[in-house]
Amino acid sequence: MKSFTVSDLEHKDVYSLMISLIAPRPIAFVSTVSKSGIDNLAPFSYFNGIGSNPASISFSIATRADGSLKDTAKNLLESRSCVINFVTEDIFKAMKITAKEFEHSIDEFTEAKLTKLPSDLIKSVRVKESIAQFECELIDLVNVSDRLESLIEHSIFGFNTELKPGSGNLAVCKILKVHFDESLLREGTENKIDVKQYKPVARLGAKFYSKVTDSSVFT
Ligand SMILES: Cc1cc2nc3c(=O)[nH]c(=O)nc-3n(C[C@H](O)[C@H](O)[C@H](O)COP(=O)(O)O)c2cc1C
């Protein structure tokens, strides 16, 4: 068995081990809007549900190498809302386009040739081509760093506000509304999903992805 103490490894090698072992990961294709009204899209695979009462999800936005926040995090702080669009093969290529680092002023719907669909309850728009979406409101955005150390060190002098490159900014969001395509509805039910109709794309390590196929589903 190979074993490594994390503090002996370089940050990029820790990242690579984490994304290869925490797999497959669901993908939150997140739409947000800036203060000046520019719509933004980006995928995040450090993503999962938290609880159902209140209905909540989280995804983690890494701090950039220069210590700055990605556009998604900036927009979340400005508008306090986002849409989680779910990813199937139809929008896989478009999703990858939006993972590029575009200027804050660029509308990534235009870049990815995706259509905006207004949300019912929030300002951030949905991706029309996505098979399912959650309209969400931001509950909290937590920088996950050596927080306990900072708390102890800075309990008298105030907190250290510098963000460490690569540190996660965990967006905790409340789900306000769920939308999904009727093709996913399980026959004879009002609001249940037919697991075999939904074929999400998941992220694996390095540049690899996987998807659900008829033969890969079992009990
Ligand atoms: C499938 C996929 C999953 C990703 N997951 C994450 C993630 O969990 N956290 C993160 O910070 N970046 C992740 N990225 C990279 C961001 O999407 C990328 O940095 C993007 O440019 C951020 O855009 P923004 O500045 O518009 O928010 C992922 C990229 C891809 C293609």
Side-chain angles (χ1 to χ4, degrees):
M1 179 156 271
K2 287 283 219 181
S3 308
F4 298 95
T5 301
V6 167
S7 53
D8 292 341
L9 293 175
E10 281 189 41
H11 159 226
K12 67 172 174 31
D13 296 325
V14 177
Y15 169 75
S16 162
L17 285 173
M18 285 179 71
I19 67 161
S20 297
L21 290 171
I22 308 171
R25 294 184 305 289
I27 300 171
F29 190 22
V30 180
S31 36
T32 52
V33 63
S34 73
K35 203 162 49 187
S36 54
I38 296 157
D39 292 306
N40 191 80
L41 275 169
F44 294 90
S45 62
Y46 277 176
F47 163 55
N48 227 311
I50 301 176
S52 43
N53 186 23
S56 46
I57 56 99
S58 70
F59 61 96
S60 178
I61 310 161
T63 304
R64 287 190 182 128
D66 64 2
S68 67
L69 286 175
K70 294 187 180 182
D71 292 344
T72 302
K74 288 184 202 152
N75 291 351
L76 271 170
L77 291 171
E78 287 174 5
S79 76
R80 299 201 184 184
S81 77
C82 67
V83 175
I84 307 293
N85 302 279
F86 288 83
V87 180
T88 52
E89 260 191 313
D90 319 339
I91 59 167
F92 173 68
K93 283 199 177 127
M95 178 275 290
K96 287 218 294 188
I97 292 173
T98 70
K100 292 182 198 149
E101 299 261 330
F102 289 103
E103 290 287 311
H104 193 53
S105 57
I106 299 288
D107 185 323
E108 296 187 31
F109 276 84
T110 313
E111 295 300 316
K113 299 190 170 59
L114 290 168
T115 319
K116 296 176 191 180
L117 188 65
S119 291
D120 292 342
L121 304 174
I122 57 170
K123 215 174 154 207
S124 306
V125 295
R126 298 183 276 154
V127 172
K128 187 168 184 236
E129 293 82 354
S130 164
I131 198 154
Q133 310 104 21
F134 290 166
E135 291 184 30
C136 298
E137 170 184 272
L138 184 68
I139 295 176
D140 208 346
L141 187 66
V142 186
N143 180 257
V144 179
S145 216
D146 299 318
R147 190 159 180 270
L148 190 56
E149 294 304 314
S150 317
L151 279 174
I152 294 164
E153 272 179 38
H154 299 278
S155 56
I156 299 168
F157 304 109
F159 301 107
N160 180 358
T161 52
E162 275 176 29
L163 302 177
K164 265 194 192 170
S167 62
N169 298 284
L170 191 69
V172 178
C173 301
K174 189 170 171 177
I175 308 166
L176 303 179
K177 192 146 186 174
V178 177
H179 306 268
F180 63 86
D181 192 274
E182 289 201 12
S183 62
L184 296 186
L185 189 66
R186 197 199 306 166
E187 227 181 286
T189 71
E190 282 297 312
N191 54 18
K192 304 264 186 297
I193 302 275
D194 183 339
V195 173
K196 291 198 172 170
Q197 293 305 319
Y198 177 45
K199 296 186 165 59
V201 171
R203 194 171 192 200
L204 303 172
K207 299 278 178 219
F208 297 99
Y209 293 84
S210 77
K211 70 168 178 186
V212 173
T213 59
D214 288 336
S215 61
S216 69
V217 178
F218 58 90
T219 55

